[in-house]
Amino acid sequence: MKKLFFVLALSVSSLALAAKPYGMGGCGLGSQLMGKDGNQVLAITSNGTSGNQTFGISSGTSNCVTASEQTAQIQTFIDNNYDAIITDMAKGQGETIRTLSGFYGCNTEALGTELQAQYAKVAPAQADSGKMMVNINNLIDQSQTLSASCTDAI
Amino acid sequence: MAPGIFLGAFISAASAAPGPSDQRWLNLVHYKKNLWGQWRSQADGENFFLHPQGKKSPVHEYERTKELFDQNNTEAICRFPARYLYLSGVNPLQQCKEYREFVEKLNPKSISLIFSSYFINSPASAFGHTFLRVNSSKHTDPESSKADLLDYGINYAAQMDSDNVLIYATKSMLGLFPGTFTAMPFYYKVREYNDFESRDLWEYQLQFTQEQIDMMVAHMWELGQTFFDYKFFTENCSYHILGILEVGDPSLRLTEALPSLYVIPVDTVRLLFDEPKLVGGFKFRPSVLTKLKYSTKDFSFEKKSQILSWVADPQKMISELKSLSLQDQATSIDATLDAFDFINAQELVHGPKEVKELRHQIATERALVDVITTEKVPAPNHTPQAAHRSQRIGLSYGELEGEKLLRLQMRFALHDLLDPLPGQPQFSEIEFAGLNLRLQNEKQAQTLELDRLDLFRVSSFEPVTAFQKDFSWTARLGLRSIQDRGCVDCMAGHVELGGGASVAPQGSLSFISLLSKLELDYTGAFAGSGRALLGPEVWARLAEWDKLSMLLKSGYKWGTQFDQVKFGQGLFTHSLELRYHGTQSSSLSLKGEVFDEQRQSLEVGLLHFF
């Protein structure tokens, strides 16, 4: 149920998120309609090529998606969870690290430890989500423990 | 109507044969009987029906659906895969490419219902929100799931065409917005509710078979193309979410068990628990405020002030950290990050960019501390499923200035400051449609009088802490029978507005609040058709025990009639109420009130939630 008095604030927030190229159809962050008579749920698939809505999701199915889809998914995830990822990297653990380890097929603890240790490299000041993803990919490539353990690394 | 098995397909032996009067069919097309006993589908989009009479006629819609399916009409089959699955036993994944892609994206293995709790200081959100999450895993170990954030939330909400709060409120109450279903990765919801709005999320793992899950997902696909008129009080998010669950398991009687006048999300959570074995477990996902409260629970006031100064100035943090042990550095910076996120929740979404840079400095410092903190915020004992029911009736007996009286009260929703706190907003009250009648002996005659009618009463007393500087306020609109010497027993249109601040002991639900209060009474009994009362009030709640709560209100007010502003001698008013919550659904109440120097009342009563 929607709150009465908070609608204004929400609709403002939606602007910020709508500015991103892969705004998701949905309420809450601002009801970006997918088209007047569009199938809202269909939006997941019809809009699939933009990257945002094509999740292989769990590690079990991540082999089903192509490398470029995987890349798009990861970048979208990083983009939308940027602050939480920064925190989790700095702490060396957290749900977003778990999610990332799912993408790359890594051991969660190993990835968390390494991301914390290499934080300055992975998340330098003003790194955007694209840069951060490249940095994570490089980190996994260059770390012996991670490249061995991360089975789905790009 | 002859129940027919068609296409020669497999029909589960356990369930009744399909037919237009089968509950599963009625659920799939969302048919409900209206007041005159006629079937009407709640769906309002025309494309949800294959027959022109489909909205009104389960039989026509059934026959037409069957006919088109018998002709192997791909368009119909792919628009209504759940109907097809129901009628033929076959999920049309092969035939329908887009539907297949949708199912593959969701990869449904289990279903969770997510309850988003209240938004602090916004009692209008006291109703909460519910939506579903389609899990791509069995979700046997929610704490270690790698997929939760990426799994899809299925949400029902009004598609607003206006940012104006008043227009929104009016239209949503009248059902003038179309409500639609949307799907989006769960992380959007986590970022929105947990981080941006600081609302706790509760995830209820539901027990369905894979067959039932496939049916629900097929039905979600069907719902995605239509709309339902969004009705804030009845056909709202929680109502339609339950409708999906009933499609999965027609033996569930969820929407029927709801009160007919309004549906409150927290009530629907409790309903899930009324069904045996439906809820497998739950997981708590703390808001940024809950995280902050937890990470600073052992901190002194000085330490909290220090954290606050670090939020504003990370360089100060960096220099002051050096004196701490490694472990203390870690917990201090973690708390600083939590405080930063709570204080800057808006700025982190809207900018300016410098906010992100400050945050980055704090996080960079944290990464240098080689300690991995694993402490998790535990779920509070006060769960949404333990919340009291929202309708309340009461009967009390007592004396008003020497006269015996019997009081009847009825409240439609939701919660006041003395009601049991589990699962409800902790420092707020929100009441809609409260009616209060008084049966009294007056001059040897029995009279039944309206004592109060509250259209609404909303208050927020979020205590001021080192990190929260919330304003406390209260507002009330309705009718009341004035009891003070200004005009005894005069019925008046009544408006109350108050603002101030509250404080509470650390971690306690007791609080004390100081308010400036304005009361307006509109009645012809006063010159100028009304009066204003203005003055300070103290509210103090004692809530140290689960079963007992106490609220004291004391005020002093100066009054003036509307014809000329002239404040006469002031008026002391006091009230003290004690409630003992004997069972989950009933409370004993003892209430004393002083209306002026002369007039007092004392009442004892019983309140029942239903």
Side-chain angles (χ1 to χ4, degrees):
Chain A
M1 188 177 303
K2 221 59 194 122
K3 309 143 295 286
L4 291 185
F5 302 130
F6 200 60
V7 177
L8 264 178
L10 265 182
S11 59
V12 176
S13 90
S14 76
L15 296 179
L17 284 133
K20 292 172 183 167
Y22 20 69
M24 179 67 200
C27 83
L29 288 175
S31 306
Q32 301 146 40
L33 291 166
M34 304 305 293
K36 267 185 184 156
D37 51 359
N39 182 329
Q40 295 287 316
V41 175
L42 182 67
I44 299 176
T45 50
S46 62
N47 209 9
T49 46
S50 72
N52 177 41
Q53 291 118 1
T54 54
F55 287 105
I57 305 183
S58 71
S59 51
T61 57
S62 58
N63 333 349
C64 307
V65 296
T66 64
S68 65
E69 279 177 343
Q70 165 98 340
T71 306
Q73 286 168 27
I74 298 174
Q75 193 181 336
T76 308
F77 175 74
I78 294 175
D79 202 42
N80 286 291
N81 296 274
Y82 191 85
D83 296 324
I85 291 172
I86 290 274
T87 303
D88 289 350
M89 281 183 181
K91 291 182 179 178
Q93 63 88 33
E95 188 176 22
T96 63
I97 304 285
R98 243 175 25 230
T99 310
L100 286 172
S101 73
F103 275 127
Y104 291 100
C106 302
N107 170 288
T108 303
E109 284 72 31
L111 183 65
T113 308
E114 200 62 17
L115 283 172
Q116 189 192 38
Q118 302 297 325
Y119 178 90
K121 264 195 210 165
V122 178
Q126 295 171 350
D128 63 20
S129 56
K131 273 187 208 149
M132 188 187 276
M133 183 178 67
V134 171
N135 294 341
I136 296 172
N137 291 343
N138 290 340
L139 175 77
I140 292 171
D141 269 354
Q142 286 155 18
S143 152
Q144 282 194 341
T145 45
L146 288 183
S147 55
S149 93
C150 300
T151 50
D152 292 343
I154 300 161
Chain B
M1 189 57 50
I5 296 176
F6 84 116
L7 294 173
F10 168 74
I11 301 284
S12 166
S15 46
S21 55
D22 179 16
Q23 188 61 48
R24 290 175 297 167
W25 175 253
L26 299 173
N27 287 351
L28 276 169
V29 197
H30 295 253
Y31 288 117
K32 296 276 172 192
K33 281 212 164 123
N34 67 13
L35 287 175
W36 294 271
Q38 300 159 313
W39 290 112
R40 287 286 182 276
S41 170
Q42 292 171 326
D44 294 298
E46 277 174 25
N47 55 358
F48 195 63
F49 307 100
L50 291 167
H51 191 278
Q53 298 296 315
K55 187 172 168 69
K56 297 176 180 174
S57 169
V59 176
H60 282 105
E61 185 63 16
Y62 180 83
E63 293 298 327
R64 180 65 183 152
T65 303
K66 203 159 152 318
E67 189 186 335
L68 288 169
F69 286 3
D70 278 335
Q71 295 164 4
N72 203 19
N73 180 313
T74 302
E75 203 270 329
I77 292 171
C78 298
R79 251 167 76 194
F80 297 105
R83 294 188 193 181
Y84 190 78
L85 178 56
Y86 163 65
L87 286 168
S88 74
V90 176
N91 201 351
L93 293 164
Q94 289 294 326
Q95 212 167 336
C96 309
K97 180 170 173 286
E98 289 184 322
Y99 167 62
R100 181 172 70 243
E101 285 170 0
F102 169 75
V103 174
E104 281 169 359
K105 295 265 158 16
L106 296 183
N107 187 23
K109 294 286 189 298
S110 63
I111 303 272
S112 298
L113 182 135
I114 317 289
F115 174 72
S116 162
S117 61
Y118 322 102
F119 180 54
I120 55 148
N121 220 1
S122 171
S125 80
F127 297 110
H129 179 69
T130 57
F131 58 102
L132 294 178
R133 191 180 63 211
V134 180
N135 302 316
S136 62
S137 69
K138 291 275 188 200
H139 224 256
T140 41
D141 182 12
E143 296 304 331
S144 67
S145 167
K146 290 179 173 176
D148 280 6
L149 289 177
L150 304 178
D151 286 345
Y152 278 91
I154 302 290
N155 193 57
Y156 174 76
Q159 296 298 340
M160 291 169 285
D161 56 8
S162 168
D163 285 347
N164 185 300
V165 174
L166 286 176
I167 292 176
Y168 170 76
T170 315
K171 287 184 85 169
S172 68
M173 287 187 201
L174 295 174
L176 296 175
F177 282 121
T180 53
F181 289 86
T182 52
M184 74 188 75
F186 183 57
Y187 60 70
Y188 281 101
K189 291 294 182 189
V190 173
R191 304 281 80 96
E192 178 193 358
Y193 289 125
N194 270 178
D195 299 355
F196 187 71
E197 297 192 339
S198 209
R199 297 164 73 165
D200 294 330
L201 293 171
W202 298 78
E203 307 176 14
Y204 296 93
Q205 174 66 35
L206 304 179
Q207 308 285 83
F208 286 106
T209 64
Q210 187 63 47
E211 267 185 344
Q212 293 170 330
I213 292 165
D214 291 344
M215 178 60 90
M216 282 187 276
V217 168
H219 188 56
M220 288 169 193
W221 174 259
E222 296 177 346
L223 291 173
Q225 69 191 311
T226 191
F227 67 92
F228 294 73
D229 290 341
Y230 188 93
K231 294 174 185 132
F232 186 81
F233 286 113
T234 52
E235 290 180 38
N236 54 30
C237 61
S238 292
Y239 180 88
H240 285 299
I241 291 301
L242 294 184
I244 296 179
L245 303 183
E246 287 176 337
V247 164
D249 181 356
S251 72
L252 297 173
R253 282 285 171 272
L254 299 169
T255 50
E256 275 177 26
L258 290 166
S260 55
L261 285 174
Y262 54 84
V263 178
I264 291 172
V266 71
D267 286 338
T268 68
V269 171
R270 196 184 319 96
L271 270 181
L272 300 178
F273 280 82
D274 291 345
E275 292 285 342
K277 296 188 194 147
L278 179 56
V279 181
F282 65 88
K283 180 187 168 181
F284 175 66
R285 196 179 276 274
S287 69
V288 61
L289 176 60
T290 305
K291 281 186 200 161
L292 173 62
K293 282 182 174 168
Y294 187 76
S295 62
T296 57
K297 67 184 188 318
D298 300 322
F299 288 5
S300 65
F301 185 78
E302 288 72 28
K303 176 80 185 181
K304 285 181 187 168
S305 304
Q306 188 181 31
I307 297 283
L308 206 54
S309 69
W310 292 357
V311 167
D313 182 3
Q315 291 309 315
K316 180 168 178 289
M317 176 185 89
I318 293 166
S319 64
E320 290 176 5
L321 273 174
K322 295 193 176 79
S323 59
L324 302 177
S325 71
L326 265 193
Q327 186 62 48
D328 283 351
Q329 288 186 19
T331 51
S332 301
I333 307 176
D334 288 354
T336 308
L337 281 168
D338 289 340
F340 193 94
D341 289 346
F342 175 68
I343 292 165
N344 295 300
Q346 306 284 323
E347 290 80 358
L348 282 168
V349 175
H350 304 314
K353 272 210 154 116
E354 293 72 46
V355 176
K356 297 240 181 210
E357 281 159 31
L358 282 180
R359 192 179 188 284
H360 190 264
Q361 291 175 27
I362 301 169
T364 305
E365 201 60 22
R366 175 64 183 85
L368 296 174
V369 183
D370 190 12
V371 172
I372 292 181
T373 32
T374 51
E375 200 168 14
K376 268 197 66 74
V377 181
N381 295 328
H382 286 183
T383 58
Q385 61 269 29
H388 65 74
R389 288 172 191 268
S390 42
Q391 298 182 86
R392 196 184 74 186
I393 48 165
L395 182 67
S396 54
Y397 177 77
E399 266 190 22
L400 173 61
E401 210 201 341
E403 295 278 1
K404 301 274 184 288
L405 77 89
L406 202 60
R407 185 186 299 278
L408 298 163
Q409 47 175 306
M410 166 77 205
R411 177 191 76 194
F412 283 92
L414 173 72
H415 176 75
D416 72 21
L417 290 170
L418 283 163
D419 283 337
L421 288 166
Q424 299 288 356
Q426 308 284 270
F427 293 99
S428 301
E429 63 185 348
I430 176 163
E431 290 195 299
F432 275 116
L435 179 69
N436 207 313
L437 301 170
R438 214 167 43 179
L439 186 66
Q440 217 172 339
N441 271 323
E442 239 168 305
K443 301 174 187 120
Q444 276 93 44
Q446 298 271 331
T447 57
L448 183 66
E449 280 176 43
L450 180 65
D451 189 67
R452 286 203 87 102
L453 173 67
D454 286 322
L455 294 179
F456 70 81
R457 182 155 74 113
V458 192
S459 311
S460 175
F461 293 93
E462 198 64 38
V464 171
T465 68
F467 304 111
Q468 281 172 275
K469 307 280 184 256
D470 293 306
F471 179 68
S472 291
W473 55 273
T474 179
R476 187 170 194 164
L477 177 69
L479 297 171
R480 76 160 174 180
S481 160
I482 298 172
Q483 289 304 319
D484 59 68
R485 59 173 142 79
C487 185
V488 172
D489 274 343
C490 297
M491 185 56 57
H494 182 64
V495 181
E496 256 178 67
L497 288 169
S502 310
V503 289
Q506 170 102 339
S508 168
L509 295 171
S510 301
F511 69 85
I512 184 160
S513 182
L514 183 64
L515 305 166
S516 302
K517 191 103 166 290
L518 171 69
E519 296 184 16
L520 302 172
D521 287 306
Y522 292 90
T523 164
F526 294 118
S529 296
R531 70 165 180 185
L533 296 168
L534 188 67
E537 261 186 35
V538 176
W539 293 31
R541 180 175 74 178
L542 197 63
E544 296 304 304
W545 308 275
D546 282 348
K547 294 229 168 233
L548 196 67
S549 51
M550 195 168 92
L551 182 67
L552 172 75
K553 298 179 190 175
S554 273
Y556 187 80
K557 290 182 195 73
W558 294 272
T560 174
Q561 303 199 359
F562 283 173
D563 61 335
Q564 52 173 319
V565 180
K566 189 175 143 206
F567 287 92
Q569 194 199 345
L571 193 70
F572 274 111
T573 58
H574 310 280
S575 84
L576 177 67
E577 183 168 4
L578 246 98
R579 294 242 188 105
Y580 175 74
H581 311 303
T583 70
Q584 211 196 352
S585 61
S586 56
S587 307
L588 275 173
S589 144
L590 179 68
K591 184 174 186 182
E593 262 185 287
V594 177
F595 301 103
D596 58 29
E597 299 79 0
Q598 305 292 319
R599 206 164 160 83
Q600 292 133 25
S601 73
L602 185 66
E603 293 174 34
V604 57
L606 185 67
L607 298 166
H608 177 69
F609 300 93
F610 67 104

